[in-house]
Amino acid sequence: MRRASLSVLSSALMLFAAAAAHAQQTGTINGVVTEASSGRTVAGARVGVAGTQLGAATGAEGRFTIANVPVGSHTLQLRMIGYTALERAVTVGNGQVATVNFQLSTRAVVLDEVVAVGYGTQRRGSLTGAVDQVGSQALENRPMANLTQGLQGLIPNVNIRLLDGRPTQAPRINIRGTTSIGQGGNALILIDGVEGDPSMVNPNDVESISVLKDAAAAAVYGARGAFGVLLITTKKPARDGFAITYESKYGRRTPTVPAGYVTDGYTYAKMFNESFFNFEGTNPQNVNKTQAFSQQYLAEFAKRSTDPSLPTVVVGPDGQYVYYASTDWYGLLYKEQTPTTEQSLSVSRSTDKASFLISGRYLDQPGLIRYNSDDYRMLNLRATGTLQLYPWLQMNNNLTVSNRKYFNPLNVGEGGGIWRNIADEGHPSEPMLNPDGTLTWSGAYTVGDYYYGKNGSRLSRNQVRNTTGLTATLFNSKFKLNGDFSFQNTADNERRRRVEIPYSRTPGVIEYLGTATNDLRNLNDKGVYLASNLYGDYSSLFSEKHYVNVVLGTNYEQSTFDRLDVTRNGLIFPDAENINLALGQSITTGGNYEKWAILGGFYRLNYNYDERYLLEFDGRYDGSSKFPSSQRYAFFPSVSFGWRPSREQFWKVSERLISDLKFRGSYGSMGNGNINAYTFNELFNINKSGRILNGIQPQFTGAPAVLPDGLTWETVTTRNAGMDLEMLAGKLQFTGDVYSRRTTNMYTIGSTLPATFGATSPRGNYADMKTNGWEAGLNWQDRFNVASRPFNYSVRLSLSDYSAEILKYNNPDRFLNDFYAGQKVGEIWGYITEGFFSSADEIAKHADQSLFRSHSSGKIQVGDIMLKDVNGDGKVNPGKNTADDPGDRVVIGNTTPRYTYGISLGGNYGSVFVSSFFQGVRKQDWYPSPESNAFWGQYNRPYGLVPNWQLKPGMIWSPENPNSFLPRYASRLSNNAAGILRAPQSKYVMNAAYLRLKNLQLGYNLPARFASRIGANATRLFVTGENLWTWSPLYKYADNIDVENATAPSDQFANPNGNSGDGYNYPMLRSFNIGATVTF
Amino acid sequence: MTRRHIPLCLLLAGALAAGCDSLEQNPVATSTKDAVFGSENGLSLYTTSFYNWMPDANNLTQSESMTDYAARRDVPQFIRPGVFNPRVNDITASGQYEVVALGGDVNWRWNTLRSINYFLVNNTDPDVPEKIRNNYSGIARFFRAWFYFEKVKRYGDVPWMDKPLSVTDSALYGGRDSRTVVMDHVLEDLDYAIANISATNENSRTLITKDIALALKSRVALFEGTFRKYHPEFGFQSTADKWLNESANAAKILIDSKRYSLYTGSGPTDSYRQVFVRDAPVAQEVLLTNTQSTALAVRHMANWIFTSATTGVRFSFIRPFIHTYLNIDGTPFTNLAGYQTLTFQDETKNRDRRLSQTIRTPGYKRIQAGTQIAGPPAFTYTYTGYHPIKWSVDDVAMDGGSLNTNAVHLFRYAEVLLNYAEAKAELGQLTAADWALTVGALRARAGITGGLTTLPTVADPYLTSVYFPGISNPVILEVRRERGIELAMEGLRFYDIVRWARGPLMEMEWRGIYVPQANTNLDLDENGTPDVNFYTVNPATRLSGVTYISVTGTDFKLSNGTSGEIVWRNDIPRKWDQKNYLYPIPEGDLLTNPALKQNPGW
C-alpha cells in the first residue's frame, strides 16, 4: 500500500515532465564584468546559466557572450576567485540578445556561497539548518594516503580519530559526538549523492565537503541520516575551455616519535632482574620464553658489557646459544625513512553541448617496515561528463574506478601485532640472528618473522562506481526534474599466508615457530550497491518577496554483501601462494550474505519572506528491510527557521560593521537505522568446531539468541540553535551552533535476569542518552600592503565540544562496570594516589589496601604506592562497585575528547603562499591499559622493554628520590590482576590533550613568463609537511607514544575489535614533500 | 531519440525505485529452525555444539591446579582465609582459577543448560524417525546430566529446569531444588541416555556413546553415594547405598562388556605412561578423549605448562603424597624406618612403577633433536622436586608453545575399575576376585608384585594418620590410595577429597624433597653432573648447569634451616572450613534472585 502511494507520486512527477516539452527557441546573453571598487574590467570570470551547461568566461576586456540560451527566465551565476559570487535574473526572448553586466566586489568569503545540502544546494545566506562546508583548498597540496585522514579537524565537530598511522587507516566519521550506546551509528557519507567510502576517493577530485549536522538538514535522508550526513561533492568539468592539470609530489615519511626504548642489553637485563625480583621475591630463571636467565648470567653479562672484545654470542655447556647482545629491535623493525610519490593528472574540456573531466591519480607508498615491507598503492580513475541533449535536458555520467593494495606483514609465533610481540619477546639482550645466519628464538617471535619475509596479508580493494543522471529544466527554469541511477561494485580480497618460522637455539639444529598456522587464506568479499533517486525541485519568487522552493522525491537503495572465506593448511613449500598448494586437512570455509534495502519518499519545503524570515520543513517517509514488517516504515519530520535582523527596517547598524546577522533554530526527530540486517531473526549460525571429533573438526550450530518482543527504532531528537554573523565588510565571519541531541529508546541490554535464564537478556529499546554540545567557526580574511604589494592572509578557527550523559539504562543498582543513569560517558573511576610509603610506620598506620599488590606476597614496602582511604572506613576497596557506593573511588578523569579545535592560517604575498593547519584537543584523559609496555615498561611484565623516559632523573622511586613519578621498581604492578597500578588512580591519569601541526606548506607560483616557456598557463612549486610538530602534556612522560596512538585501541589489524589503548600501534607518520602543479 | 522518450527514461528510473519488492529480506547465510530440527544432519549439527563444553586438553592437563597433593606458585584463593567470598563471582578469572569443571559453565552460569533444553523441547519433528530423534535426545540428556552433576558438586542444591525459560517465567525467581531431587533427575537423564544412544562404542574415542554414559553414571553415582555417606550434616546418609549400587552396576556393565582393558603392551615401566603420551588414544583403555592433530592445527600446551617458570602455576607434587606410592613388592613405603630422611635419589627406587611414569626420577631422559639428554627435576619449574611428566612428552621441541599432540582423556577404563572397586568397598561387597580385577590389575600393570589377588587386611598407619583418620577399613583405604596414584592429574582429585569430607587435606604443608645438607651440589638424576644447590651462603663461584636456590627466604626454605625437606609458601595461611565443601552462590546472583539463599557459612 505504501509502496503503491510512492509509485503514484513518481508517476505524477513523470507526467509533469512530459507535459513540459515544448518547442525550442533560443536567444543570447552578453555583458561586461567589472570590479566595483576600481571600475576595471575583469578577465577570466566565469558566467554560467544556472541549471545548464551553458556558460562562458570573460575575455581580456571583461566581455562575455553566451549563445543558444533557451527562451525564458534564467539565473546567471558568476564565479570568480576572490570576489563575491553573483547571481542575476535574466529573461531571454527568441532571437534576442539580453545584456547583463556584473560588478564584482572583492570579498573573500561570502554569504552567497552555494552550499550542498540534501538533494540540492542552498545559498549560505538562506540556510536554516546547521550546515558547514569546506572547499577543495583545504585539501590542496596535502599528501594523504586517503581522504578520510585528510578530513581530520577540518570541520568543527566532525570527529575523526585516527587509530594508527597505517595508510589504510580510515575510521568511521562521527558528527557531534556520542551517538548511541545501543546500535551505535555514524555519519552517513554520500559522494555525489550516493553512499560511498571516502577512503577510496581521489582527494584531488573533491570540490567541496558539506556537513549536515542537525535533524533539519539531514531529514531528507531519513533513518540513515540520524547522526548527520557528510556530502562529498566532486569536481565538475570546467564550465568552458580546456584544461590539463598535472601534479607531482614526492616525499619521505618517518614516525612522529622515536621508539625510545633502552637498547643496551646489559642495562635491560639488569632492570629485568630487578623488576622481577622486586615483585616475585625470587630470582628469575627465564626472560619470558626465549632466554635462560640466572644470576651467573647477569654477572657474566656485566663483565662482557665493559669488555667489547668478548663475543656477544657463545655456546653454553648444554650446547645452546647464550647471548650477550644489545639489540635495537625497533631499529630493525622500521626503515630510517620511506619515500612516497603521487602523480595526478586531470583533463577537462567543455563546450556548450558537452563537457568532460577525466582525472587519474597514482599513489605509491612503500612501507615503513624494513623487512617484508607494508607497501601501499592506490590508483584512482574518474571520468565524468555531461551532454546537453536539449537546452532543457542534460544528461550526466560519473564513473570512478579505484584500486587499493596494501600488504600487511604478520607475526605467526603467537599471532597478534608486532609491537606487542616485541614487548614480549624482543629482548635487547638477544640478537635477531645467530652467527650462522639463522634466526634466534627471540628473533623468530618478533622482527625475524619479517626478516624471513613470508608471512603476511595481501589486501586489495577494487571499486567501480557509476552514476547516470538526467536533469530536465522546465517552466522557465522554475522546475527541475532529476533522475539518477547508480551502482557500486566493491571487491575486497585478502590473501594471507602464514608459515612456520625456522629458528635455532643450538648450532645446527633448526626448530620451527608458528606450527599452528601453516596455511593460506583467500577471503573474497563482494558488495553490490544500487541506488536510484527521482526528485523534482520547484522554486519561484512571488511578488518579489515571497520565495518558495519545493523539493519532492523518492529514493530506493539496496545493498548486497557476499563473502567466501577459505583457509587451508599444509603448504607444500613455504613460498606457495595458491591454495592448490595447501594440502593439509584443516580446511575452514566460511560464507556470509547480507542484503538490505531502503525505500523512501522525501520533501523539503522552503519559504522565505524577503530573505528575512526563513522557514523550512523537511521530512521523509522511510522504509527499511532491516526492521520487522510491523516496524518497517516510519515518518521523520523536521522544521527549521531563520531570522535575519540585519535585513529588518529597524536595523541601523552600519553595513561596514555588521553586514549580516542571522539566527537559526531547528527541531527534528529521526529514527536510527544504523542496525545490522537480520537483527530481528532467530539465527542459527554455523561454525567450525575447535575440537576434533572422529578425526575431523565438524560444523556446529546452537541455540539462537533470545529475541525480544516489540522492538522499535531508536529515536534521535535534535534541537539546534545557531547564529551566523558577517562583519567588517566580509573580513570576519562567524558561525556558531549549540545543540542538544537525545537518543531515546536505545537498543541495549535488557534488565538483568537471573543467570538461570541461561542466555543474554534480550536486548530491547531500554536506554536514553543525551549529547549536548556546541561548535563555532570563525574566519578572518584581510590584506595589507607590504612594500606596496598586498599581503593577503586568512585565519580560520574552529572549535567544538560535546559531552554525553546516560539518562536511562538497565542498571538499577548503578554498577560501575556498566553504563548507569547519570553517568557522564567516558568517565574514569579510580582511587586517589596519596604518594609513596616512606616508612614502615607509615605502612602500618595506613588504611588496609591489601586488595592491591605491590609484591606477589602482598607485603607492602617503602616506595610502594599509597592509596587514599576516601571514605575513611580503614580499608581501600571498591565498595559495592556502584556509583552510590564506589568505595574509595571517585571520578578521576574522562576519556571524551573535549574542546577539539582546528586553526588554519594562510597567506600569500605576490607569488609566494604559505599555509598551516593545526589541530588539537584541549582536554582528554587517558589511563594506560594494564598491558601497555610503552607506558608502564617493566612495571607491566618484567621482560618488557624499558622506555628511555623512565630512566630520566626523577622518574623511578628510590630512597634518594622519594618524590618520583613511578613507584618502587617492580614488575607486574600494572598487569597482575591485583597489581596496584592496574587500579586506575589519580597520579597516572595522563593528560592526552595535544596541539598538532597537521600541515604546513609553502609554495611559489612561477611567473607567467617562465610557465609559458613550457607551454603552461601556470606552474606552482610547493613544499609541504604533515604532522611536523606536536605538543602534549603526555610527552613530559611517555614521549615514546604518539599522543593520538595512546588513546587509540591497539593494533587494529591484529585486533579489529580491540579497545585497550596501550600504544601498541603502527606509528603515526610525519612527512616532508615537495611537489609541482602545472596547468596547461 | 525524440523528446517523448525522455520521460520514459525517467519513468524507468522511477519504476525501479517504486517497483522493487525488496524490503522483505531474510537471512540466507544461517540455518533456519526447520532445517535444524527437520533432519538427522540438523540434529547432529546442533548436538555437536554440546561437545564444545567438554573440558579440552588444556583444561584437563591443568585441571588439578587446586588439589591437596600439589604445590603451586601461590596459595589458591579458595582456601585463603578471608580472600574468597561470594563477591568473587567469576571463579575462572585470573587468580581464582581453581578447578576446571567438566561439563560447561564453571560459575553460576546456565547457558549450557538453556541450549540443551532448547534442543530437547524442539526435537519433535515427526519427519525424523523417532529412534533417531531419541538418539540425539539421549546425547543431549547425557550432557544435561553432566551439566547438573557439575552444578550439584559445586553448589549443592540447584534449581532443576527442563525447558528454556521465557523472560517472564516465574521460575526464574524461584528457589533451589534439593540435591536429592536434582540428582534423581540426573539419574533419569543418564538412564535415558544409556537406553537411547545408539552407538555403544566407536573407534575414534571422541564421540558420546552408551558406554560413555555408563562411565559417567558410575562417576556421578559414586560421587553422590560417598558424598551422602561422608557428609552426615546434609542428612542423606540413608540413601547413600542406593547411589553406590547404581555406580557399581553401571561400572559392572562396562566391565562385563569386555570391550575395554588395561594397556600393558609396553611393560611395567612404560605402559602406564604410554596411555598419556600417545597421539592416537590407546583404544583398549581410553573411553573418551581429546585428540590432537598437527594436520588440523589442534594442539595443547602441556609441555609448555610443565616446563615454564611463568606460564601455568608450576604444579609440583608434595612429599606426603609421593610417600603413598607402594614399594615394588606391594608393601607401604612408609613402613621403612627413616623414610622421612631418604634422599630423592633413594626414595624413588624400587617403587610402584607409576612413580617414575608420573614424575621425573633418576633415569628419566628428555629428547633433544633426536638424542637423549639429562632430565633431572628442574627447580626452574618445580618447587618441590617432584616434577610431573604425566601429560608432557619427552621431546624438548614441544616446550614453549602449543605443540603437544598427545591425546588427553576425559574417561578412562582405569577410572571405571576404581569406581567399581570403591563403590563395592563402600558397600562392603568387594570380593578378592573384584580386587584382582580392579586394584590388583592396576598394581600389576605398575609392576607391583605383592597383594594383587587378596584383599588387604591391614589398615596402613600412614594413610590413617596422614590422609584418612576416620577410616579403618583397609580395603577402602587401599582403594583410595590407588585412586590417588592411578588418577593423579586427571581432574578428579579435588572432588574426591570433597566427597570423602577430607577438605582439611588442602591445608597440608607444601613439602618437597629431603635435602641432607644445604650449600651442597646435588645430582638428582645421578648422571654425574650436579643439578641443584640449595644455599644459605651465597656461593662464591657458581657452576654452570646448576640451579642455585636460596633457602633463607620466608617462602622457600628447608625444614631444619640448613637441611631437611623443602618447605614452600608456608608464609601464606591456608584454611579449609566446613563451608568450603560447597561454593557460595555469587553475591550478584543472590541479589538478583534472593530466593536462591546462600550456602551455609558463606
Side-chain angles (χ1 to χ4, degrees), chain B residues 288-322:
Chain B
L288 185 67
T289 192
N290 284 294
T291 54
Q292 314 290 304
S293 161
T294 300
L296 293 175
V298 175
R299 280 170 289 192
H300 65 88
M301 55 193 277
N303 267 51
W304 191 8
I305 291 297
F306 296 108
T307 60
S308 170
T310 51
T311 302
V313 299
R314 293 171 71 167
F315 175 105
S316 320
F317 286 104
I318 60 172
R319 200 163 190 235
F321 177 72
I322 298 298

Side-chain angles (χ1 to χ4, degrees), chain A residues 746-802:
Chain A
M746 285 186 293
Y747 182 60
T748 56
I749 59 163
S751 303
T752 306
L753 293 173
T756 44
F757 181 64
T760 310
S761 177
R763 294 163 72 89
N765 300 101
Y766 296 127
D768 296 348
M769 180 180 73
K770 78 172 176 209
T771 305
N772 287 346
W774 53 267
E775 66 246 352
L778 186 73
N779 287 317
W780 172 263
Q781 301 214 356
D782 200 2
R783 65 177 71 186
F784 54 82
N785 284 349
V786 178
S788 77
R789 290 172 68 192
F791 179 82
N792 300 299
Y793 69 96
S794 67
V795 179
R796 180 179 157 103
L797 302 174
S798 72
L799 179 62
S800 64
D801 185 39
Y802 67 84

Side-chain angles (χ1 to χ4, degrees), chain A residues 14 22 285 289 317 320 390 392-393 515-516 556 569 585 593 597 599 632 684-685 691 694 701 755 757-758, chain B residues 1 3 6 11 17 22-24 28 30-31 45 49 54 111 114 165 206 295-296 299 304 368 380 403 544:
Chain A
M14 295 297 121
H22 54 78
Q285 282 135 350
K289 292 190 283 295
Q320 299 198 0
Y390 298 96
W392 57 275
L393 184 65
T515 45
Y556 172 79
N569 72 343
Q585 293 310 302
Y593 186 84
L599 175 65
R632 188 158 294 157
F684 288 80
N685 291 304
R691 289 166 191 263
N694 199 14
T701 192
F757 181 64
Chain B
M1 188 189 269
R3 231 179 277 164
I6 307 304
L11 192 63
S22 294
L23 293 200
E24 187 64 42
V28 297
T30 51
S31 182
L45 188 70
S49 69
M54 299 194 310
N111 295 28
R114 183 185 189 89
L165 301 182
T206 53
L296 293 175
R299 280 170 289 192
W304 191 8
Q368 186 173 52
T380 323
L403 301 169
S544 183

Side-chain angles (χ1 to χ4, degrees), chain B residues 370-384:
Chain B
T371 56
Q372 288 198 328
I373 59 166
F379 274 88
T380 323
Y381 314 126
T382 176
Y383 292 106
T384 61

Side-chain angles (χ1 to χ4, degrees), chain B residues 11-148:
Chain B
L11 192 63
L12 270 178
L16 188 79
C20 284
D21 187 19
S22 294
L23 293 200
E24 187 64 42
Q25 294 294 336
N26 289 303
V28 297
T30 51
S31 182
T32 64
K33 193 168 178 175
D34 290 347
V36 168
F37 291 102
S39 70
E40 178 168 9
N41 279 342
L43 299 179
S44 170
L45 188 70
Y46 194 115
T47 51
T48 298
S49 69
F50 301 153
Y51 286 86
N52 293 333
W53 306 318
M54 299 194 310
D56 66 15
N58 285 326
N59 296 151
L60 284 163
T61 54
Q62 297 172 66
S63 60
E64 300 220 323
S65 296
M66 180 166 76
T67 53
D68 64 317
Y69 54 48
R72 50 178 251 180
R73 180 200 308 275
D74 49 4
V75 175
Q77 295 201 7
F78 189 61
I79 53 168
R80 286 183 61 180
V83 172
F84 191 87
N85 59 53
R87 210 175 279 168
V88 181
N89 59 2
D90 180 9
I91 58 177
T92 63
S94 173
Q96 292 144 18
Y97 192 42
E98 320 299 8
V99 186
V100 169
L102 305 181
D105 304 323
V106 181
N107 295 306
W108 187 259
R109 293 186 69 247
W110 296 78
N111 295 28
T112 311
L113 181 68
R114 183 185 189 89
S115 186
I116 293 168
N117 282 336
Y118 184 92
F119 178 85
L120 288 168
V121 164
N122 286 291
N123 184 18
T124 54
D125 193 322
D127 290 350
V128 184
E130 190 178 359
K131 197 168 154 51
I132 289 172
R133 273 189 275 137
N134 290 351
N135 171 47
Y136 289 100
S137 286
I139 290 170
R141 290 182 71 170
F142 167 86
F143 279 105
R144 185 165 72 185
W146 197 347
F147 173 86
Y148 264 109

Side-chain angles (χ1 to χ4, degrees), chain B residues 564-584:
Chain B
E565 289 178 337
I566 289 169
V567 182
W568 164 245
R569 260 291 159 255
N570 219 1
D571 51 340
I572 307 291
R574 277 160 253 189
K575 187 79 175 71
W576 181 277
D577 290 321
Q578 178 63 27
K579 67 178 181 184
N580 288 64
Y581 285 112
L582 294 176
Y583 272 70

